[in-house]
Amino acid sequence: ENRALRKILKRLRPLLRQVARGARIREFEEALEELKDVEIHYRRKENQLFPYLEQVEFTGPSKVMWGKHDEIRQQLREFEEAYRREDWRGFAALSRAVLRALRRMIFMEEKILFPTALKKLSERKWAEIRRGEGEIGYAWIQPGNLWDPSVVIAATAAKEPGKAQSSVSAGSGAGDSAEMPLDVGSLSPEQVNLMLKNLPIDMTYVDENDRVRYYSQGRERIFPRSPAVIGREVQNCHPPKSVHVVEKILESFKRKEKDTAEFWLSFGEPNDRFIHIRYFALYDQEGAYRGVVEVSQDVTGIRALKGQKRLLDW
């Protein structure tokens, strides 16, 4: 991906000089769209690589590099906005800043992050990382199949049967046929799983120790998730600039000062989806805090509803 990114930056360099003089070039717009896929590259680092590094107490990337990702994201947004507004002076300054930041991130990855990660993580951990990457996707390229993670995991499981499951992506036992008694009725784990993943929402459960225990795998995810998030401290699942908000919500829930929090925002390109996000505190029968469930829903269509619909119109 970094090689592909370098090629895009090389293509952009001569085009930027022409655009900064007021030219509108289709080739530039196409290259800009390609460049924006760097977001996938960064999301995969944040959601797949960083959780495993946290397990071996290498937390610098989560706390520092994620912040640098957000700076680049902001620069890219401002860079594109300057182009759309035909602010050519601002565009010229931002183009230099964006290219410099992207090149510096490549350097930090290849000279610091990846070499250190290779030393700290076992081949089995890399296999687990690779197996979960498809949940998030790839930027510009698709990986080959010469290195098969399933072979590595199977070989490790044969040598160490107790480690057959990943510590961050252990299964939920959904195949167990025993029914679970609920407040009303009872369901098998398979039925619970089917119900949760078919709800028109994204749901994440964080336990009383601030560890992510579950997320729903719906058909259309709003925010990126991968199995590596299971067992991760929820504070590490958010950009550094928003961690203080997460901690404020959790502390308020634990102290029973509040039991809900909600946000709404425009999302997607170009801000064409309206997302409603809610947090609900969970308490057991004795009133003890047992965690929080986060529910995110795309309510774009719901906001647009008018009048009434009483008949089925399939």
Side-chain angles (χ1 to χ4, degrees):
E1 287 182 344
N2 278 345
R3 291 193 193 104
L5 178 55
R6 285 192 184 94
K7 290 179 180 177
I8 295 170
L9 296 178
K10 187 175 180 180
R11 280 171 48 207
L12 274 171
R13 197 177 303 119
L15 297 173
L16 291 172
R17 289 192 289 269
Q18 298 177 54
V19 175
R21 293 195 291 268
R24 283 197 170 274
I25 304 172
R26 183 177 181 81
E27 187 181 352
F28 164 76
E29 294 182 358
E30 292 172 351
L32 177 59
E33 287 303 309
E34 285 188 65
L35 179 64
K36 286 157 62 176
D37 279 349
V38 73
E39 168 66 16
I40 302 171
H41 179 79
Y42 293 162
R43 280 205 312 256
R44 217 169 64 253
K45 286 165 59 184
E46 293 162 355
N47 292 280
Q48 272 302 108
L49 180 58
F50 290 177
Y52 283 87
L53 294 177
E54 288 160 12
Q55 286 185 22
V56 294
E57 300 183 350
F58 183 36
T59 59
S62 301
K63 300 183 184 305
V64 178
M65 191 171 278
W66 197 331
K68 295 298 181 183
H69 293 171
D70 283 345
E71 289 176 12
I72 293 173
R73 289 173 171 125
Q74 181 63 28
Q75 288 176 327
L76 278 169
R77 284 193 291 269
E78 293 173 355
F79 174 58
E80 185 174 16
E81 287 169 7
Y83 175 73
R84 304 298 178 202
R85 293 195 314 267
E86 299 186 353
D87 173 11
W88 305 124
R89 180 177 295 180
F91 176 88
L94 284 164
S95 67
R96 290 191 293 271
V98 166
L99 265 63
R100 184 166 55 246
L102 288 166
R103 290 195 192 99
R104 178 167 176 75
M105 181 57 68
I106 292 173
F107 177 87
M108 291 171 66
E109 288 179 3
E110 296 185 351
K111 301 299 182 183
I112 303 171
L113 176 67
F114 297 153
T116 306
L118 282 167
K119 292 177 183 177
K120 289 183 174 289
L121 299 178
S122 67
E123 186 176 24
R124 177 184 171 82
K125 293 300 183 186
W126 285 110
E128 292 174 2
I129 291 169
R130 171 67 183 84
R131 191 167 63 174
E133 285 182 331
E135 293 275 343
I136 296 169
Y138 301 91
W140 311 298
I141 60 95
Q142 287 295 319
N145 58 5
L146 292 178
W147 185 73
D148 188 341
S150 62
V151 172
V152 177
I153 291 172
T156 307
K159 294 177 182 176
E160 304 174 75
K163 295 185 178 181
Q165 286 187 316
S166 163
S167 57
V168 298
S169 59
S172 61
D176 189 350
S177 60
E179 290 202 345
M180 300 184 294
L182 305 172
D183 284 356
V184 179
S186 62
L187 295 169
S188 70
E190 181 185 12
Q191 290 169 330
V192 171
N193 191 51
L194 283 169
M195 180 175 64
L196 289 173
K197 75 179 186 180
N198 282 285
L199 290 173
I201 57 174
D202 278 357
M203 184 186 302
T204 303
Y205 169 55
V206 178
D207 69 14
E208 61 270 28
N209 299 311
D210 300 344
R211 298 278 179 178
V212 179
R213 297 291 302 277
Y214 168 83
Y215 68 88
S216 57
Q217 285 189 306
R219 297 173 187 171
E220 297 182 16
R221 291 212 55 82
I222 298 172
F223 301 111
R225 295 283 190 276
S226 73
V229 76
I230 301 303
R232 193 180 191 190
E233 287 190 358
V234 68
Q235 292 87 343
N236 292 334
C237 299
H238 293 78
K241 65 182 180 182
S242 63
V243 169
H244 71 286
V245 177
V246 175
E247 290 180 337
K248 184 175 181 178
I249 292 171
L250 294 175
E251 285 304 312
S252 296
F253 286 178
K254 291 172 183 177
R255 294 172 183 165
K256 298 187 177 180
E257 298 169 348
K258 302 284 185 181
D259 60 9
T260 61
E262 66 178 338
F263 305 88
W264 49 90
L265 52 91
S266 295
F267 186 74
E269 285 289 343
N271 292 329
D272 56 355
R273 300 167 68 192
F274 195 81
I275 309 301
H276 189 207
I277 305 166
R278 289 174 289 176
Y279 297 85
F280 301 98
L282 304 179
Y283 304 98
D284 63 20
Q285 290 184 341
E286 285 72 41
Y289 174 74
R290 297 303 302 273
V292 56
V293 62
E294 175 193 359
V295 177
S296 301
Q297 185 174 10
D298 185 342
V299 295
T300 308
I302 295 173
R303 289 182 85 210
L305 294 176
K306 294 180 181 179
Q308 301 182 67
K309 178 184 175 182
R310 291 174 177 267
L311 301 175
L312 185 65
D313 61 358
W314 290 353

